[in-house]
Amino acid sequence: MQVGIPRETLPGETRVAATPETVKKLVQAGHRVRVERGAGTAARYPDADYERAGAELTDAQAALDSELVLKVRRPDAAELARMKPGAVLLGMLDPFDSDGLAALAGAGLTAFALEAAPRTTRAQSLDVLSSQANLAGYKAVLLATQYYGRMFPMMMTAAGTLKAARVVILGAGVAGLQAIATARRLGAVVEASDVRPAAREQVESLGGKFIDVPYETDEEREIAEGVGGYARPMPATWMARQAALVAERCRQADIVITTALIPGRPAPTLIQPDTVAAMRPGSVIVDLAVERGGNCPLSVPGEVIERDGVTLVGLTNLPALLATDASALYARNVLDFLKLVIDAEGRYAPPADDDIVNACLVCKDGQVLRSA
């Protein structure tokens, strides 16, 4: 197939959908690969490395005018206008945005939204949400160290002892678990909360203390188990008990990192403004859910602000701040997905009965196949 890798045009998006490593494998498999000049520059992958891997360096039009186009983010209107009907598009396409899906279908594309892959063992190697969330959790802790005016570890010196920072992680999914591990490696005392009871073991295995909100009914426990690896919205009674306990822990914390998101829904509010006002001056909140409304309503997307002496970090797209590694992981995810839809002869031949392929296929032949 003719494979195109255009440069990402979304402001602040530094990642690239294919690296020289994955391009080389595509070329070895018999594909012709076009890479837009400068596509990997922001991720520290120079054009010369793509050429050595066997790619043809082109302009944006040639990369987009390919049979198979690999992207990180959904193409904008100008990019869609350059793509030819019938082309296959792979990327993080936001499958919960009905207008965006309609635009892809209107361009006549067959599109696969990789973030819609099921959370199953078989899909782990192509799970773009996990690979990118892992990096986001790590970077969130480093951002906290940047804006927190003290040390993370306990330190005993001739001038006295410095206490370890107290870190609270809200949400123990992939990002949250990586944040726990990173904060512990830096010497912080870590507590974490999650609606899913199975998260306790994972939190404690990383050296964190689990903030336990007891379940009062079988219904609460059943909902907390989640579905497909994701949390579900909890009943109002449980949320009220959690809010009270979380507010108490946040008031005692130096750093709070929030990671709670349910796909396709606004981010749940976990930290109320009155809790922020009660936190110690110099405390830091890093809100990883800010693009979906934020786990704290005071967070501002793309900005770092201060309220009541507390720094709120609302920077978005944290994986793009680690573009080299984020691109490497994402490109491998893409390559593993391609193995499902390209046959041994190198032809596009998606199986009709593959659960991963069907979950990711959002539009085909001008028709939207997924309800946002």
Side-chain angles (χ1 to χ4, degrees), residues 108-134:
L109 303 177
T110 293
F112 292 94
L114 300 182
E115 65 268 53
R119 288 290 179 87
T120 61
T121 301
R122 179 168 168 262
Q124 282 183 342
S125 65
L126 49 88
D127 186 347
V128 295
L129 290 181
S130 290
S131 73
Q132 302 305 294
N134 199 19

Side-chain angles (χ1 to χ4, degrees), residues 288-336:
L288 291 187
V290 69
E291 285 186 278
R292 294 287 186 179
N295 294 140
C296 177
L298 299 179
S299 302
V300 179
E303 296 186 19
V304 179
I305 65 171
E306 185 173 315
R307 291 289 295 270
D308 299 307
V310 177
T311 300
L312 292 103
V313 181
L315 300 183
T316 58
N317 196 6
L318 297 196
L321 301 179
L322 299 165
T324 304
D325 287 335
S327 297
L329 296 179
Y330 181 78
R332 291 169 193 161
N333 293 149
V334 169
L335 193 64
D336 280 333

Side-chain angles (χ1 to χ4, degrees), residues 74-142:
R74 189 175 62 214
D76 60 23
E79 291 173 306
L80 287 176
R82 293 177 167 185
M83 299 177 69
K84 58 186 178 184
V88 178
L89 170 68
L90 269 70
M92 291 191 288
L93 308 180
D94 195 354
F96 296 100
D97 180 356
S98 56
D99 291 338
L101 298 184
L104 297 177
L109 303 177
T110 293
F112 292 94
L114 300 182
E115 65 268 53
R119 288 290 179 87
T120 61
T121 301
R122 179 168 168 262
Q124 282 183 342
S125 65
L126 49 88
D127 186 347
V128 295
L129 290 181
S130 290
S131 73
Q132 302 305 294
N134 199 19
L135 296 175
Y138 167 81
K139 189 63 176 180
V141 176
L142 297 191

Side-chain angles (χ1 to χ4, degrees), residues 32-287:
R32 304 179 307 280
V33 181
R34 296 172 176 170
V35 177
E36 181 183 349
R37 291 181 181 87
T41 301
R44 303 298 186 263
Y45 295 111
D47 289 344
D49 287 356
Y50 285 104
E51 279 195 302
R52 281 192 288 270
E56 173 191 356
L57 296 179
T58 67
D59 58 12
Q61 178 59 54
L64 289 165
D65 188 29
S66 300
E67 297 174 271
L68 171 63
V69 177
L70 309 181
K71 288 270 294 166
V72 177
R73 306 295 281 267
R74 189 175 62 214
D76 60 23
E79 291 173 306
L80 287 176
R82 293 177 167 185
M83 299 177 69
K84 58 186 178 184
V88 178
L89 170 68
L90 269 70
M92 291 191 288
L93 308 180
D94 195 354
F96 296 100
D97 180 356
S98 56
D99 291 338
L101 298 184
L104 297 177
L109 303 177
T110 293
F112 292 94
L114 300 182
E115 65 268 53
R119 288 290 179 87
T120 61
T121 301
R122 179 168 168 262
Q124 282 183 342
S125 65
L126 49 88
D127 186 347
V128 295
L129 290 181
S130 290
S131 73
Q132 302 305 294
N134 199 19
L135 296 175
Y138 167 81
K139 189 63 176 180
V141 176
L142 297 191
L143 285 172
T145 67
Q146 177 180 340
Y147 292 103
Y148 181 54
R150 300 179 182 179
M151 300 281 291
F152 259 46
M154 183 184 74
M155 185 172 291
M156 300 177 68
T157 75
T161 299
L162 302 176
K163 293 182 179 180
R166 299 183 65 87
V167 177
V168 171
I169 313 291
L170 302 181
V174 174
L177 292 173
Q178 181 57 249
I180 293 168
T182 303
R184 287 288 298 141
R185 283 195 292 268
L186 291 175
V189 176
V190 181
E191 294 182 295
S193 172
D194 195 279
V195 303
R196 297 163 299 145
R200 173 193 286 273
E201 183 178 351
Q202 295 170 307
V203 168
E204 293 176 347
S205 72
L206 294 171
K209 179 181 178 182
F210 191 69
I211 301 173
D212 191 16
V213 183
Y215 305 106
E216 292 184 346
T217 66
D218 292 338
E219 179 192 15
E220 288 183 352
R221 182 173 295 278
E222 180 181 352
I223 294 174
E225 294 292 343
V227 59
Y230 296 103
R232 295 164 60 191
M234 292 294 290
T237 52
W238 188 92
M239 292 297 293
R241 297 198 306 277
Q242 186 205 38
L245 189 55
V246 164
E248 177 186 343
R249 293 293 197 274
C250 289
R251 286 193 290 267
Q252 299 170 1
D254 301 302
I255 309 289
V256 181
I257 297 174
T258 70
T259 72
L261 272 176
I262 299 173
R265 294 176 177 268
T269 298
L270 302 181
I271 305 177
Q272 298 290 349
D274 58 347
T275 299
V276 176
M279 293 176 67
R280 289 194 289 262
S283 301
V284 176
I285 297 173
V286 182
D287 192 342

